[in-house]
Amino acid sequence: MAMVVIRSEDRGRTQIDWLDSRHTFSFGEYYDPKRMGFGPLRVVNEDRVAPGGGFPTHAHRDMEIISYVIEGGLQHKDSMGNGSVIRPGDVQHMSAGTGVRHSEFNASDTEPVHFLQIWVLPERDGATPGYNQKTFSAPEKSGRLRLVVSGDGRDGSIAINRDVDIYATILEPGEPVEHRVADGRARWVQVVRGSVTANGERLEAGDGAGTISEEDISIEAVEKAEVLLFDMRVSV
């Protein structure tokens, strides 16, 4: 399968007074039948929330929800009793399972918050809701693929209810990383910031690209970049 590329400027968009959200895949009022996700990866939203703004309490179920903060602080509260501020370097996971309610607000009254919200379909519906949050420092991600999320929690990563590995990396210009993949798995590259090539394809901040093939993934920074790499079992 050839690489599928979704350019930053071709994403869907939701824009209101306190929110500017870009949708890699169909979400909310943005609907494209050709963009319903990639493998078990269902949502990649790049959200910018104005000072004092945020998402009031709302419900989710049967979804693995991951937040990756790029700039600022995101205040989280949920019906499981969790409350925290998520900052750059933090990865937050909420397993909605049988049902959970939560809110997300900009933690600052003066500075915006910029983050990725990622949804992954669970292995099975009806799981017990859960929450986890961990910090992965910049040195841990510099020049290497640091596993931050996985289906089994190995190497200090956050465990989710799906056979999906998410790696984060920070690369200096000209710096490469490579990832070997097993047959029958999908890969998705999401550029958080900067510019890279992925298997020779130039990708800018906000761009995403995926493939289901036997080819390994080679990523090289054109300018300083931060990238997420998803390695996913396609079927359950």
Side-chain angles (χ1 to χ4, degrees):
M1 177 181 177
M3 185 171 283
V4 174
V5 179
I6 298 179
R7 300 294 178 190
S8 176
E9 62 270 19
D10 295 331
R11 294 177 295 176
R13 188 177 190 181
T14 298
Q15 192 172 29
I16 55 179
D17 57 349
W18 57 268
L19 173 68
D20 187 358
S21 181
R22 307 299 179 103
H23 316 304
T24 298
F25 305 114
S26 293
F27 185 85
E29 295 183 1
Y30 167 64
Y31 175 73
D32 183 337
K34 296 179 181 178
R35 294 185 180 176
M36 297 304 296
F38 196 82
L41 179 59
R42 178 60 188 84
V43 168
V44 178
N45 288 347
E46 182 179 3
D47 293 341
R48 289 177 170 86
V49 177
F55 302 91
T57 302
H58 56 284
H60 293 284
R61 65 177 299 137
D62 295 323
M63 193 65 70
E64 303 295 297
I65 300 171
I66 298 146
S67 296
Y68 188 93
V69 174
I70 303 167
E71 295 174 320
L74 183 68
Q75 175 122 34
H76 168 92
K77 292 182 180 179
D78 64 47
S79 55
M80 296 178 284
N82 300 297
S84 64
V85 176
I86 312 155
R87 301 195 182 277
D90 294 340
V91 177
Q92 179 214 53
H93 166 240
M94 186 176 70
S95 182
T98 54
V100 66
R101 294 176 62 79
H102 79 137
S103 63
E104 293 172 301
F105 278 85
N106 189 336
S108 172
D109 291 327
T110 58
E111 300 294 331
V113 60
H114 180 198
F115 68 102
L116 293 181
Q117 184 172 123
I118 298 159
W119 293 9
V120 173
L121 298 168
E123 294 277 357
R124 64 190 67 82
D125 292 345
T128 301
Y131 180 90
N132 204 344
Q133 180 178 331
K134 289 188 177 182
T135 302
F136 300 90
S137 67
E140 289 183 80
K141 297 176 282 189
S142 295
R144 62 185 287 259
L145 290 165
R146 174 58 164 107
L147 185 66
V148 297
V149 169
S150 68
D152 57 9
R154 68 188 185 281
D155 298 334
S157 61
I158 294 175
I160 67 171
N161 295 312
R162 186 79 191 212
D163 184 0
V164 169
D165 294 337
I166 305 177
Y167 297 86
T169 186
I170 298 172
L171 301 173
E172 296 296 328
E175 192 170 28
V177 289
E178 292 193 3
H179 180 61
R180 308 202 112 210
V181 293
D183 294 350
R185 294 180 71 86
R187 276 81 67 197
W188 185 266
V189 175
Q190 188 71 35
V191 183
V192 178
R193 59 179 124 204
S195 176
V196 302
T197 59
N199 288 8
E201 183 77 40
R202 176 77 175 250
L203 301 173
E204 308 290 341
D207 290 354
T211 184
I212 302 174
S213 70
E214 298 179 8
E215 188 177 11
D216 295 338
I217 295 290
S218 178
I219 300 170
E220 183 174 328
V222 177
E223 57 187 60
K224 186 170 182 177
E226 185 171 2
V227 178
L228 296 181
L229 171 63
F230 299 76
D231 181 340
M232 307 170 282
R233 185 157 64 96
V234 177
S235 59
V236 295

